[in-house]
Amino acid sequence: MASEEELFANIDALLEEEPQLPPPAERARLREAAGITQARLAAALKTTTQSVKNYENGRSEPKSPRLEAYQRLLKGWAARYPAHGAAVAAAPAPDAASQPVPETFTSPPVPEAPEAETAAPVEPPAAQAAPERPATRRPATSRRPAARKAAKPATDPRFPHGPLAVLDGDGSAYGVDGIVLDCPATTVPELVDWTLKESGLGAAKLHRNGKDSDPLIVLTEAAAVKLGLPERLEGHEQRRSLRLPEDHPVVKQVTKAKWKLTQRGFGPWARIYRPAQAGQRQCVQLAVLSWDALDSRSWPGVAEMEPADVARVLGIYAQRVITPRGSTAVSGLELMTALRPPTRAVQDKETGNWVSGHNPGSLGTEPMHPAPPEATQEHPVVVNSSWTGGFLDEEAYQWVRSVDLLSDEECLLPYAVGLDLNTAFLAAAARLTVGLSAPDHFHHPTFNPKIPGSWLVDLSHVELDPRLPSPFTPTGERPTGPAWYQTHTVAYAQELGYNVAPFEAYLRRETGAYLDPWHDRLKTAYVDTLADLGVTKDLTDQEFLAAMERHKDVDTALAAVLAAIKATVKGGIGKLRERPQGRHYKDGERWPALERPTWRPDIRAAVISKARVNMHRKLANMARMTGLYPLAVLSDCVVYPSPGASPLDFLPYAASGKPQPGGFRLGPTPGLAKLEGVQEMSWAVDLMEKGFNPARHIKGGDAVMDEGE
């Protein structure tokens, strides 16, 4: 006789069996009897019209949880419209399961931009036909609090399923807004064909003169193995430079199918394309998760998420920033080009034909030689000219006040409190005038703060309070003689009331606010994502500090998006002066980054110079308003001695309770501050005596790490 445990196990097994649907013809009869179109049913099930057609002709079956929803709907219809029952005079209102839902397969306006290293010159595609492969299920995702919903752009009919999908080993391609497509591909060429012809993936251009974004397919480890790729890339080079050898079977498959790879080859981020024909672009981006395509520093925890959640994170980033094209640094750089396309259509005056011409305000299509002091020591301009005149040293602060300059009153304060400026480089990019043309060389020019460029000037005579870092050097030490500075640094010396008399300058005649649209889009992405995490502009300072304390726990996916946005800012600025990579490089050789019009170290210097000057201006204003001086500064983080464990205990406020202008202010927008960390004052002094920077370690507490890391 069976035991109770065995009986229950048998019952559980029956309950777990997939629900049975009526025959395909009956499904179609019930839908027609209810007066519901296939398109309306597809919207309710969050799938495609083609999928509903497939359900009703027997070509495919829905999967869980769409299967259960479809079965519930059919059961409801069967009760109302029996096969041999009387006809109903007026169709009743459909039940909740059959109510149409808003179309959620929104394809955000994300542009296509040139490859960060070397990409094929190809053109935007013609409109894609509706995908033939069905969307088969929506995955269950982790529970999360309801977030404030931003208005979505209208769906582009060419890209009904959004910008990207995450492919699992069972052929499920998880897209944005919960959609899952059936992908039958078993080889990389088949995957590329399916993506371009059937998936409905891609995104529209951001700028009217730009290009549409190529679809992105993210491969899980299981999907990569199924397609014949190794689980890991092995080698002695830096992982980001690893790629499959040219004789690998998958590379041979791609070549045999007459597809091409960019010069980056088949690595963690691979672009597979065919040269444009008749203006039609054919290009697919692949990202391999198990090959570290998503760096944990920029995408914390994302590589370990379920495919549906990976798609959610990348989909939000694609909607608010750009479809990822590589690292967040690459994406940051590509966003600049997408928002300021180098060319536009212009009419030839002689022939009347429309041709490609320069787009005003952009950096153009050709790389530009830097001025020698703006270049790096290994750059061909420097090596070939034997330049010995020095270089710009516009870098972020790494400064610690000498312990000899600490007062007894400061040492007796109980706490050291760290403030961090939100995306300080992004704030510096706002309304920043940069050079657009090549530099011209001048001797003994009159300084003009409105002209971007590099100036050789002696600022060693500027006398400032030694308890503050010098605004002219990243170390905070006073200059000892003539040196090269970016315009903002020299202008600040003039602002402080000192005479400046440049010996030389490399200046640019054509100028513009090149980074303005980049700043605007990233600022909106940053502020909106913080708001979705509960950190909004209308909070009081006390409420803001409390919200920041818990924001990362509200929604791990959105927290990862926020981290990626911040990494996009820093990485994008850094890419403007990308150095050569690889142990085989020799000084004086050109490296791939130099072939980009966006290799512009002068623009990077302008951003960092303005950010450092902004920081010093706030430090000086704080000293004037509160009498407090910083213990240390590291880039956008500053540490102050404090009578309490909160920034509210030392930040300047007016009698009305409003923050005093000019100093540090708390808030969620770029340039405002948040709490970085709190430690005991004795901890900070101990680090300073050992030569460490408290600003580097105040967030983590125990830290005796190498300051050179």
Side-chain angles (χ1 to χ4, degrees), residues 96 115 284 381 393 430 536 547 679:
E115 182 62 17
V284 174
V381 164
D393 191 18
T536 56
Q679 301 294 333

Side-chain angles (χ1 to χ4, degrees), residues 176-196:
V176 299
D177 294 315
I179 191 171
V180 180
L181 306 169
D182 282 337
C183 176
T186 58
T187 67
V188 169
E190 289 177 358
L191 175 61
V192 173
D193 283 334
W194 174 83
T195 303
L196 292 174

Side-chain angles (χ1 to χ4, degrees), residues 29-30 32-35 76-94:
R29 186 196 71 79
L30 290 172
E32 291 170 354
W77 280 343
R80 292 174 179 164
Y81 315 109
H84 303 290
V88 180

Side-chain angles (χ1 to χ4, degrees), residues 377-397:
Q377 291 184 350
E378 66 272 15
H379 194 283
V381 164
V382 174
V383 175
N384 295 338
S385 67
S386 301
W387 172 261
T388 58
F391 299 92
L392 279 176
D393 191 18
E394 298 289 10
E395 302 293 341
Y397 270 132

